[in-house]
Structure formats: C-alpha cells, structure tokens
C-alpha cells in the first residue's frame, strides 16, 4: 500500500538498513527493527493483494527494478548480490485481464533475467497460506 523507494515505484517499500554489513551479522537493534516491521506491517506499510483489476501497475516488476537499482550500486568485488523474494502469492498477476496478465508476465520475467545477467541471483521463498499449498508452476518455475 505504501511506497518508499528512490524510483517512487508503486507497491514497493524499501526498509533501509544504516549499514549493509549489519545484514551479514545482525545486531539486536536490527532484529528489533525487523520485529517492529512484522508486528506493525499492516498498520504502517500495508499490502496490496495482487494486481488491482483494470490497473497496469505491476508491483513485482517494480520491486525487481528497485532491488536491481540498489544492488548495482557500490563495489562488486567479493560481493554476492541477491534478491530474496518472500511471497505467499503463487499467481502475482491473477486479477489482471488476460492481455495485461500476459504483458506483465513477459516484462517481469525479462526484468528477472536482466538482474541475473548483471550477476544478481533471485531466490524464491514460497510461503503457503493456511490450507493452501504454494504452486510454483503457476508463475515462478
């Protein structure tokens, strides 16, 4: 629902870490900050459930674009650049009309390939909803 990123892309909220090295060796402060986000996520950030019908906005594409921009910055020596994608939505374009869905699928896959061409790996962490199994074959395969 909220957006916070340099590109002003819809549906993308970037959690800023003061020192990126903290991600490799999490501190108590960083863990507390992440816990705060988890407990207050809906109130402070919110979430869209998939594509808004009639919209051409593609939050997954936007998220990959923003992450790619962040990972292009800085040194590339001895650094593993990766996007960790946590989602419980196995059909990110499910609500879109068929023409828009095909276009969103194509452009998002291309954005992922572009990131990989730049040496950025994308790792999917599928989260099942209660009573539902995450179906990777719908899109993420």
């Amino acid at each position: 629902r909220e957006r916070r990123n340099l590109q002003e892309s819809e549906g993308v909220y970037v959690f800023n870490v003061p020192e990126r090295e903290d991600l490799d060796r999490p501190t108590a402060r960083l863990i507390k900050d992440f816990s705060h986000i988890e407990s207050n996520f809906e109130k402070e950030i919110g979430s869209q459930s998939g594509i808004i019908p009639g919209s051409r906005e593609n939050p997954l594409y936007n998220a990959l674009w923003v992450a790619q921009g962040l990972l292009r910055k800085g040194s590339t020596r001895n650094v593993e650049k990766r996007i960790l994608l946590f989602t419980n939505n196995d059909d990110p374009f499910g609500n879109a009309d068929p023409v828009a869905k095909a276009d969103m699928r194509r452009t998002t896959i291309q954005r992922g390939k572009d990131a990989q061409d730049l040496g950025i790996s994308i790792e999917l962490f599928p989260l099942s909803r209660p009573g539902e199994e995450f179906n990777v074959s719908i899109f993420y395969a």
Side-chain angles (χ1 to χ4, degrees):
R1 186 183 67 230
E2 297 297 320
R3 73 173 177 213
R4 185 172 85 180
N5 60 84
L6 293 175
Q7 291 88 345
E8 292 294 316
S9 294
E10 288 295 326
V12 180
Y13 186 94
V14 175
F15 177 75
N16 288 318
V17 177
E19 297 296 327
R20 290 179 191 236
E21 292 78 33
D22 288 349
L23 293 174
D24 290 331
R25 290 177 290 288
T27 63
R29 172 72 185 190
L30 182 65
I31 292 168
K32 183 178 176 185
D33 289 347
F34 275 121
S35 295
H36 176 76
I37 284 179
E38 180 183 15
S39 63
N40 292 306
F41 181 82
E42 271 310 312
K43 182 175 67 170
E44 294 180 9
I45 300 169
S47 180
Q48 293 181 157
S49 182
I51 301 298
I52 298 169
S55 171
R56 304 259 332 148
E57 201 58 50
N58 183 343
L60 180 56
Y61 174 92
N62 292 346
L64 292 174
W65 176 253
V66 169
Q68 184 178 324
L70 289 169
L71 293 171
R72 271 195 308 238
K73 295 178 179 178
S75 172
T76 58
R77 290 192 304 182
N78 301 325
V79 174
E80 181 182 355
K81 296 185 177 191
R82 58 192 176 147
I83 296 170
L84 306 179
L85 179 59
F86 294 84
T87 183
N88 65 357
N89 187 352
D90 55 9
D91 189 7
F93 315 117
N95 297 339
D97 69 75
V99 173
K101 184 174 185 171
D103 185 54
M104 289 177 178
R105 183 180 179 86
R106 180 186 55 75
T107 57
T108 303
I109 289 170
Q110 185 59 53
R111 174 60 53 211
K113 288 178 181 177
D114 292 346
Q116 289 178 325
D117 289 346
L118 292 169
I120 300 169
S121 66
I122 301 172
E123 298 176 35
L124 175 66
F125 290 86
L127 307 170
S128 294
R129 294 178 177 157
E132 292 180 34
E133 194 65 33
F134 191 97
N135 186 351
V136 175
S137 66
I138 291 175
F139 172 74
Y140 293 100

